[in-house]
Amino acid sequence: MVKLINFLREGYKNENVTQAFGLLVSTIVGLVLGFATNSLLTRILGKELYGDYALLFNIYSFCQIIFNFGIFYTISRLVAISNDKDKIRGYYLVGFFFVIILFILMAVSVTVYAFFSENMNKSSFFKVLLISIPLSWIYLLTTLNENYLPGDNKINLLSWSRLLPKIFLAGILIIIFFYFKNVSLVTIVLLNYLTFIIAYLYVFVKIKPTFKQFKRRLSEILVGNKQFGFDIYFGALIASGSGSLSGILISHFGVNNIEVGYYTLATLLASPLSMIPNIIATTQFKNFAQSQFIPRKLIFMTFGLSIFLMLFIIFTSNLIVSVFFGKEYLESVVMLQYLSIGFVLYGIGDFFNRFLLAKGKGKELRNASFLVGFTLLIANIIFIYLYRGAGAAVARILSGLMYALVILYYYRKEIKGL
């Protein structure tokens, strides 16, 4: 702990440390707002509709992973290794172009899913899903921003892009909770989209994308995607895709979507544990591209903070759920405790993953993602079938352990130059 405090004292004037602290603060504020908005949503919608809302979120989270094809990973690296401001701004406009193209593919696929999935028979959100499709491009734009902004070292803008939608939504839900009754799920979904649109308009204006040499930037992205971006995507499709399937599988094997809501709440509370190492690595991403290894002090700070917060959540999980969501949601506590362990393991893996990504180690990350993804997929099918939501949490621990070990192996191999 003394070393951690000394490290923070030494680095408070360092821009990277300052950015990391700012992004961490915004994440904590976002977490608090997430508690508040989901607490309000559970009361406004009720268990059944909140479960439908959670399933909708899981579907589009899965789509974010599928409809990527490595393009956004490629943009992230190209931006990180470039010092040409016009070129960097040009990459964003090309990325926006890909958002439009990929959205068309996603919209068609989700429409087909809506008409043929058995999940539609278990709930009343068939209409909600169809209505949500025209504005669902916002999920792909989120993926673009989450990859582009760290590459350009726009950490403050990244913080606001994450925080503004939550601030807007929290304000809207407070008004609804106190002044309106019987608000439909469709209304909530559309208002949620609106908050992202407003925030991302701000991001777009701040970036000031340019059309200069559009075709050249497009060509560079396509070449880079062939060289390393698609390898990363193909691996992430297995690893992250398997994780995003959890909520959908819980709905598939369950009687209704209520337990999807429980699992989503537990994930909401536990997932910040994986964000913390990612935030620290994100602020170092440009430095990682030119470094031979990660400083030990940085590793120590990341691990110490993650483990401390994990233990805090585990020991206060009953209190947290009761205060923010009510005693009727205490069934999610076991999932929360298991997921806390799983997400810390994923966070550790993500931390070293960002270093390897900055080094362009697409094939290594692809191989790791394959192994982790298949582990999670098999564990999900087995344990969700047996234990529903709790089974999904156990599967997350097993795959998280695999992820951390495999990424650490590739990191050690990289720094030793083997």
Side-chain angles (χ1 to χ4, degrees):
M1 181 60 69
V2 175
K3 291 182 178 180
L4 175 59
I5 294 173
N6 289 335
F7 176 76
L8 292 174
R9 285 176 176 173
E10 292 172 3
Y12 80 99
K13 292 184 179 180
N14 182 278
E15 182 182 2
N16 289 323
V17 174
T18 301
Q19 288 181 331
F21 180 75
L23 193 55
L24 180 59
V25 169
S26 71
T27 300
I28 294 173
V29 174
L31 175 60
V32 173
L33 290 172
F35 289 169
T37 55
N38 279 272
S39 177
L40 291 167
L41 281 171
T42 55
R43 289 165 171 79
I44 292 171
L45 297 175
K47 285 186 179 182
E48 185 174 341
L49 287 181
Y50 181 77
D52 290 345
Y53 177 86
L55 179 58
L56 189 72
F57 171 79
N58 278 272
I59 290 171
Y60 283 120
S61 294
F62 186 57
C63 288
Q64 279 182 282
I65 296 166
I66 294 179
F67 299 99
N68 181 326
F69 300 113
I71 296 296
F72 303 124
Y73 299 132
T74 301
I75 291 174
S76 178
R77 173 162 168 75
L78 290 177
V79 169
I81 63 178
S82 176
N83 293 315
D84 187 324
K85 296 300 181 182
D86 286 338
K87 181 184 288 189
I88 290 172
R89 288 161 54 212
Y91 285 138
Y92 188 85
L93 192 64
V94 176
F96 193 82
F97 167 76
F98 276 111
V99 166
I100 297 172
I101 300 300
L102 294 172
F103 162 67
I104 295 173
L105 296 175
M106 184 179 77
V108 172
S109 300
V110 174
T111 301
V112 172
Y113 170 80
F115 279 98
F116 293 99
S117 174
E118 293 182 0
N119 288 334
M120 299 303 111
N121 297 325
K122 294 181 179 181
S123 65
S124 60
F125 90 138
F126 172 77
K127 177 182 177 181
V128 178
L129 181 58
L130 292 181
I131 292 175
S132 73
I133 291 174
L135 292 176
S136 61
W137 51 267
I138 204 70
Y139 289 97
L140 299 178
L141 186 55
T142 298
T143 305
L144 171 61
N145 289 336
E146 288 290 321
N147 284 274
Y148 173 89
L149 294 174
D152 195 23
N153 203 34
K154 294 184 180 299
I155 305 304
N156 291 332
L157 188 56
L158 176 63
S159 299
W160 282 113
S161 74
R162 293 175 176 178
L163 198 56
L164 285 176
K166 295 179 180 179
I167 293 174
F168 296 149
L169 184 59
I172 291 171
L173 291 178
I174 289 173
I175 294 173
I176 291 175
F177 181 74
F178 286 106
Y179 297 103
F180 296 90
K181 293 183 179 180
N182 300 321
V183 177
S184 69
L185 179 56
V186 171
T187 300
I188 296 296
V189 171
L190 294 180
L191 287 172
N192 190 29
Y193 279 144
L194 179 62
T195 64
F196 279 97
I197 291 173
I198 295 172
Y200 290 167
L201 279 174
Y202 171 73
V203 172
F204 193 87
V205 170
K206 295 293 289 185
I207 292 175
K208 299 177 182 178
T210 177
F211 276 102
K212 290 182 180 180
Q213 297 185 317
F214 181 88
K215 291 184 179 179
R216 186 172 182 178
R217 300 289 86 81
L218 175 62
S219 177
E220 290 168 353
I221 290 173
L222 292 175
V223 171
N225 198 58
K226 184 177 180 181
Q227 291 176 343
F228 60 87
F230 190 78
D231 284 333
I232 298 172
Y233 160 76
F234 202 50
L237 180 63
I238 302 298
S240 300
S242 299
S244 296
L245 273 175
S246 298
I248 300 174
L249 288 174
I250 292 171
S251 173
H252 178 76
F253 290 121
V255 177
N256 52 48
N257 293 329
I258 292 177
E259 195 158 359
V260 181
Y262 290 154
Y263 181 78
T264 300
L265 285 180
T267 301
L268 168 75
L269 298 173
S271 59
L273 293 171
S274 69
M275 294 179 189
I276 292 168
N278 211 313
I279 288 170
I280 296 172
T282 294
T283 61
Q284 297 289 327
F285 188 75
K286 207 171 185 71
N287 291 335
F288 283 171
Q290 302 173 6
S291 301
Q292 295 182 342
F293 58 88
I294 303 174
R296 288 187 177 182
K297 288 184 177 180
L298 187 63
I299 295 175
F300 171 80
M301 180 185 73
T302 303
F303 280 36
L305 187 58
S306 297
I307 293 173
F308 171 78
L309 291 177
M310 178 193 72
L311 293 175
F312 175 80
I313 289 179
I314 288 176
F315 289 114
T316 61
S317 55
N318 277 280
L319 178 62
I320 292 173
V321 173
S322 297
V323 170
F324 286 98
F325 307 107
K327 294 183 179 180
E328 62 270 27
Y329 287 93
L330 284 174
E331 291 182 45
S332 66
V333 167
V334 173
M335 300 181 204
L336 172 58
Q337 293 172 337
Y338 290 165
L339 285 173
S340 296
I341 299 172
F343 276 112
V344 163
L345 292 171
Y346 267 87
I348 291 172
D350 282 343
F351 179 75
F352 293 100
N353 182 307
R354 298 295 287 181
F355 180 88
L356 295 173
L357 177 60
K359 294 297 184 181
K361 298 299 178 179
K363 291 184 179 179
E364 287 81 357
L365 294 178
R366 178 200 61 189
N367 295 339
S369 296
F370 279 162
L371 183 58
V372 175
F374 282 123
T375 300
L376 180 56
L377 181 61
I378 294 172
N380 259 340
I381 293 174
I382 294 174
F383 287 100
I384 291 177
Y385 175 76
L386 294 174
Y387 306 111
R388 304 297 186 268
V394 172
R396 179 69 66 171
I397 293 177
L398 295 176
S399 60
L401 180 60
M402 178 67 73
Y403 180 45
L405 292 176
V406 172
I407 292 297
L408 278 170
Y409 166 77
Y410 280 122
Y411 170 73
R412 290 181 62 83
K413 185 177 180 181
E414 169 67 15
I415 63 176
K416 288 183 178 180
L418 299 178

Coordinates of all heavy atoms in Angstrom, one line a residue, residues 314-359:
I314 N -17.4 -8.0 -2.9 CA -17.8 -9.3 -2.4 C -18.4 -9.2 -1.0 O -19.4 -9.8 -0.7 CB -16.6 -10.3 -2.4 CG1 -16.3 -10.7 -3.9 CG2 -16.9 -11.5 -1.6 CD1 -15.1 -11.6 -4.0
F315 N -17.7 -8.4 -0.1 CA -18.2 -8.4 1.3 C -19.3 -7.4 1.5 O -20.0 -7.4 2.6 CB -17.0 -8.0 2.2 CG -16.0 -9.1 2.3 CD1 -14.7 -9.0 1.8 CD2 -16.3 -10.3 3.0 CE1 -13.8 -10.0 2.0 CE2 -15.4 -11.3 3.1 CZ -14.1 -11.2 2.6
T316 N -19.6 -6.6 0.5 CA -20.7 -5.6 0.7 C -21.8 -5.9 -0.3 O -22.7 -5.0 -0.5 CB -20.2 -4.2 0.5 OG1 -19.7 -4.0 -0.8 CG2 -19.2 -3.8 1.6
S317 N -21.8 -7.0 -1.0 CA -22.8 -7.3 -2.1 C -24.2 -7.2 -1.6 O -25.1 -6.7 -2.3 CB -22.4 -8.6 -2.8 OG -22.4 -9.7 -1.8
N318 N -24.5 -7.8 -0.5 CA -25.9 -7.8 0.0 C -26.4 -6.4 0.3 O -27.5 -6.1 -0.1 CB -26.0 -8.6 1.3 CG -26.1 -10.1 1.1 OD1 -27.2 -10.6 0.8 ND2 -25.0 -10.8 1.2
L319 N -25.5 -5.6 0.9 CA -25.9 -4.2 1.2 C -26.1 -3.4 -0.1 O -27.1 -2.7 -0.2 CB -24.8 -3.6 2.0 CG -25.0 -2.1 2.4 CD1 -26.3 -1.9 3.2 CD2 -23.8 -1.6 3.1
I320 N -25.2 -3.6 -1.1 CA -25.3 -2.9 -2.3 C -26.6 -3.2 -3.1 O -27.3 -2.3 -3.5 CB -24.1 -3.2 -3.2 CG1 -22.8 -2.6 -2.6 CG2 -24.3 -2.6 -4.6 CD1 -21.5 -3.0 -3.3
V321 N -26.9 -4.5 -3.2 CA -28.1 -4.8 -3.9 C -29.4 -4.3 -3.2 O -30.3 -3.8 -3.8 CB -28.2 -6.4 -4.1 CG1 -29.5 -6.8 -4.7 CG2 -27.0 -6.8 -5.0
S322 N -29.4 -4.5 -1.9 CA -30.6 -4.1 -1.1 C -30.8 -2.6 -1.2 O -31.9 -2.1 -1.4 CB -30.4 -4.4 0.4 OG -30.3 -5.8 0.6
V323 N -29.7 -1.8 -1.1 CA -29.9 -0.3 -1.1 C -30.3 0.2 -2.5 O -31.2 1.0 -2.6 CB -28.6 0.4 -0.7 CG1 -28.6 1.9 -0.9 CG2 -28.3 0.1 0.8
F324 N -29.6 -0.3 -3.5 CA -29.8 0.3 -4.9 C -31.0 -0.4 -5.6 O -31.6 0.3 -6.5 CB -28.5 0.2 -5.7 CG -27.5 1.1 -5.3 CD1 -26.5 0.8 -4.4 CD2 -27.5 2.5 -5.7 CE1 -25.5 1.7 -4.1 CE2 -26.6 3.4 -5.3 CZ -25.5 3.0 -4.5
F325 N -31.3 -1.6 -5.4 CA -32.3 -2.3 -6.2 C -33.4 -2.9 -5.4 O -34.4 -3.4 -6.0 CB -31.6 -3.4 -7.0 CG -30.4 -2.9 -7.8 CD1 -29.1 -3.2 -7.5 CD2 -30.7 -2.1 -8.9 CE1 -28.1 -2.7 -8.2 CE2 -29.6 -1.5 -9.6 CZ -28.3 -1.9 -9.3
G326 N -33.3 -3.1 -4.1 CA -34.3 -3.6 -3.3 C -34.1 -5.1 -2.9 O -33.4 -5.8 -3.6
K327 N -34.7 -5.5 -1.8 CA -34.5 -6.9 -1.3 C -35.0 -7.9 -2.3 O -34.6 -9.1 -2.3 CB -35.1 -7.0 0.0 CG -34.5 -6.2 1.1 CD -35.1 -6.4 2.5 CE -34.5 -5.6 3.6 NZ -35.1 -5.8 4.9
E328 N -35.9 -7.6 -3.2 CA -36.5 -8.5 -4.1 C -35.4 -9.0 -5.2 O -35.7 -9.9 -5.9 CB -37.7 -8.0 -4.8 CG -37.5 -6.7 -5.7 CD -37.7 -5.5 -4.9 OE1 -37.5 -5.5 -3.6 OE2 -38.0 -4.4 -5.5
Y329 N -34.3 -8.2 -5.2 CA -33.3 -8.6 -6.2 C -32.1 -9.2 -5.5 O -31.0 -9.4 -6.1 CB -32.8 -7.3 -6.9 CG -33.8 -6.8 -7.9 CD1 -34.8 -5.8 -7.5 CD2 -33.9 -7.3 -9.2 CE1 -35.7 -5.4 -8.4 CE2 -34.8 -6.9 -10.1 CZ -35.7 -5.9 -9.7 OH -36.7 -5.5 -10.6
L330 N -32.2 -9.7 -4.3 CA -31.1 -10.3 -3.6 C -30.7 -11.7 -4.2 O -29.6 -12.2 -3.9 CB -31.5 -10.6 -2.1 CG -31.5 -9.3 -1.2 CD1 -32.0 -9.6 0.2 CD2 -30.0 -8.7 -1.1
E331 N -31.5 -12.2 -5.1 CA -31.2 -13.4 -5.7 C -30.0 -13.2 -6.7 O -29.3 -14.2 -7.1 CB -32.3 -14.0 -6.6 CG -33.5 -14.5 -5.7 CD -34.6 -15.0 -6.6 OE1 -34.4 -15.8 -7.5 OE2 -35.8 -14.7 -6.3
S332 N -29.7 -12.0 -7.0 CA -28.5 -11.7 -7.9 C -27.2 -11.6 -7.1 O -26.1 -11.5 -7.7 CB -28.8 -10.4 -8.6 OG -28.8 -9.3 -7.7
V333 N -27.2 -11.7 -5.8 CA -26.0 -11.5 -5.0 C -25.0 -12.6 -5.2 O -23.8 -12.3 -5.4 CB -26.3 -11.5 -3.5 CG1 -25.1 -11.7 -2.6 CG2 -27.0 -10.2 -3.1
V334 N -25.4 -13.9 -5.3 CA -24.4 -15.0 -5.6 C -23.8 -14.7 -6.9 O -22.6 -14.9 -7.1 CB -25.1 -16.3 -5.5 CG1 -24.2 -17.4 -6.0 CG2 -25.6 -16.6 -4.1
M335 N -24.6 -14.4 -7.9 CA -24.0 -14.1 -9.3 C -23.0 -12.9 -9.2 O -21.9 -13.0 -9.8 CB -25.1 -13.7 -10.2 CG -26.2 -14.7 -10.4 SD -27.4 -14.1 -11.6 CE -28.9 -15.1 -11.1
L336 N -23.3 -11.9 -8.4 CA -22.4 -10.8 -8.2 C -21.1 -11.2 -7.6 O -20.0 -10.7 -8.1 CB -23.1 -9.7 -7.4 CG -22.2 -8.5 -6.9 CD1 -21.7 -7.8 -8.1 CD2 -23.1 -7.5 -6.1
Q337 N -21.1 -12.0 -6.6 CA -19.9 -12.4 -5.9 C -19.0 -13.3 -6.9 O -17.8 -13.1 -6.9 CB -20.2 -13.2 -4.7 CG -20.9 -12.3 -3.6 CD -21.4 -13.1 -2.4 OE1 -21.6 -14.3 -2.5 NE2 -21.5 -12.5 -1.3
Y338 N -19.6 -14.2 -7.6 CA -18.8 -15.0 -8.6 C -18.3 -14.1 -9.7 O -17.1 -14.2 -10.1 CB -19.7 -16.1 -9.2 CG -20.1 -17.2 -8.2 CD1 -21.1 -18.1 -8.5 CD2 -19.4 -17.4 -7.0 CE1 -21.5 -19.1 -7.6 CE2 -19.7 -18.4 -6.1 CZ -20.8 -19.2 -6.4 OH -21.1 -20.3 -5.6
L339 N -19.1 -13.2 -10.2 CA -18.7 -12.4 -11.3 C -17.6 -11.4 -11.0 O -16.8 -11.0 -11.8 CB -19.9 -11.6 -11.9 CG -21.0 -12.4 -12.7 CD1 -22.2 -11.5 -13.0 CD2 -20.3 -12.8 -14.0
S340 N -17.6 -11.0 -9.7 CA -16.5 -10.1 -9.2 C -15.1 -10.8 -9.4 O -14.2 -10.1 -9.9 CB -16.7 -9.8 -7.8 OG -17.9 -9.0 -7.6
I341 N -15.0 -12.0 -9.1 CA -13.8 -12.8 -9.3 C -13.5 -12.9 -10.8 O -12.4 -12.6 -11.3 CB -13.9 -14.2 -8.7 CG1 -14.1 -14.0 -7.2 CG2 -12.6 -15.0 -9.0 CD1 -14.4 -15.4 -6.5
G342 N -14.5 -13.2 -11.6 CA -14.3 -13.4 -13.0 C -13.9 -12.1 -13.7 O -13.0 -12.2 -14.6
F343 N -14.5 -11.0 -13.4 CA -14.2 -9.8 -14.0 C -12.8 -9.2 -13.7 O -12.2 -8.6 -14.5 CB -15.3 -8.7 -13.8 CG -16.4 -8.8 -14.7 CD1 -17.7 -9.2 -14.2 CD2 -16.3 -8.6 -16.1 CE1 -18.8 -9.4 -15.1 CE2 -17.4 -8.7 -16.9 CZ -18.6 -9.1 -16.4
V344 N -12.3 -9.5 -12.5 CA -11.0 -9.1 -12.1 C -10.0 -9.9 -13.0 O -9.0 -9.3 -13.5 CB -10.7 -9.4 -10.6 CG1 -9.2 -9.4 -10.3 CG2 -11.4 -8.3 -9.8
L345 N -10.2 -11.2 -13.2 CA -9.4 -12.0 -14.0 C -9.4 -11.5 -15.5 O -8.3 -11.4 -16.1 CB -9.8 -13.4 -14.0 CG -9.6 -14.2 -12.6 CD1 -10.3 -15.5 -12.6 CD2 -8.1 -14.3 -12.3
Y346 N -10.6 -11.1 -15.9 CA -10.6 -10.5 -17.3 C -9.9 -9.2 -17.3 O -9.3 -8.8 -18.4 CB -12.1 -10.3 -17.7 CG -12.6 -11.5 -18.5 CD1 -13.2 -12.6 -17.8 CD2 -12.6 -11.6 -19.8 CE1 -13.7 -13.7 -18.5 CE2 -13.1 -12.6 -20.6 CZ -13.6 -13.7 -19.9 OH -14.1 -14.8 -20.6
G347 N -10.0 -8.4 -16.3 CA -9.4 -7.1 -16.3 C -7.8 -7.2 -16.3 O -7.2 -6.5 -17.1
I348 N -7.3 -8.2 -15.6 CA -5.9 -8.5 -15.7 C -5.5 -8.9 -17.1 O -4.4 -8.4 -17.6 CB -5.5 -9.6 -14.7 CG1 -5.7 -9.0 -13.2 CG2 -4.1 -10.0 -14.9 CD1 -5.5 -10.1 -12.1
G349 N -6.3 -9.7 -17.7 CA -6.0 -10.1 -19.1 C -6.1 -9.0 -20.0 O -5.2 -8.8 -20.9
D350 N -7.1 -8.1 -19.9 CA -7.2 -6.9 -20.7 C -6.0 -6.0 -20.6 O -5.6 -5.3 -21.6 CB -8.5 -6.2 -20.4 CG -9.7 -6.8 -20.9 OD1 -9.6 -7.7 -21.9 OD2 -10.8 -6.5 -20.5
F351 N -5.5 -5.8 -19.4 CA -4.4 -5.0 -19.2 C -3.2 -5.3 -20.0 O -2.6 -4.5 -20.7 CB -4.0 -5.0 -17.7 CG -2.8 -4.2 -17.3 CD1 -3.0 -2.8 -17.2 CD2 -1.6 -4.7 -17.0 CE1 -1.9 -2.0 -16.8 CE2 -0.5 -3.9 -16.7 CZ -0.7 -2.6 -16.6
F352 N -2.8 -6.6 -20.0 CA -1.7 -7.0 -20.9 C -2.1 -7.2 -22.3 O -1.3 -7.1 -23.2 CB -1.2 -8.4 -20.3 CG -0.5 -8.3 -19.0 CD1 -1.2 -8.6 -17.8 CD2 0.8 -7.8 -18.9 CE1 -0.6 -8.5 -16.6 CE2 1.4 -7.6 -17.6 CZ 0.7 -8.0 -16.5
N353 N -3.4 -7.4 -22.6 CA -3.9 -7.5 -23.9 C -3.7 -6.1 -24.7 O -3.3 -6.1 -25.8 CB -5.4 -7.7 -23.9 CG -6.1 -7.9 -25.3 OD1 -5.9 -7.0 -26.1 ND2 -6.8 -9.0 -25.5
R354 N -3.9 -5.0 -24.0 CA -3.7 -3.7 -24.6 C -2.2 -3.5 -25.0 O -1.9 -2.9 -26.0 CB -4.1 -2.6 -23.6 CG -5.6 -2.6 -23.3 CD -6.5 -2.3 -24.4 NE -6.5 -0.9 -24.8 CZ -7.2 -0.5 -25.8 NH1 -8.0 -1.3 -26.5 NH2 -7.2 0.8 -26.1
F355 N -1.3 -4.0 -24.2 CA 0.1 -3.9 -24.6 C 0.4 -4.7 -25.9 O 1.1 -4.2 -26.8 CB 1.0 -4.5 -23.4 CG 2.5 -4.4 -23.7 CD1 3.2 -3.3 -23.4 CD2 3.1 -5.5 -24.3 CE1 4.6 -3.2 -23.7 CE2 4.5 -5.5 -24.5 CZ 5.2 -4.3 -24.3
L356 N -0.1 -5.9 -25.9 CA 0.1 -6.8 -27.1 C -0.6 -6.2 -28.3 O -0.1 -6.2 -29.5 CB -0.4 -8.2 -26.8 CG 0.3 -9.0 -25.8 CD1 -0.4 -10.3 -25.5 CD2 1.8 -9.2 -26.2
L357 N -1.8 -5.5 -28.1 CA -2.5 -4.9 -29.2 C -1.7 -3.7 -29.8 O -1.6 -3.5 -31.0 CB -3.9 -4.4 -28.7 CG -4.7 -3.6 -29.8 CD1 -5.0 -4.5 -31.0 CD2 -6.0 -3.2 -29.1
A358 N -1.1 -2.9 -28.9 CA -0.3 -1.8 -29.3 C 1.0 -2.3 -30.1 O 1.5 -1.5 -30.9 CB 0.2 -1.0 -28.1
K359 N 1.4 -3.5 -29.8 CA 2.5 -4.1 -30.6 C 2.1 -4.8 -31.9 O 2.9 -5.3 -32.6 CB 3.2 -5.1 -29.7 CG 3.9 -4.5 -28.5 CD 5.0 -3.5 -28.8 CE 5.7 -3.0 -27.6 NZ 6.8 -2.0 -28.0

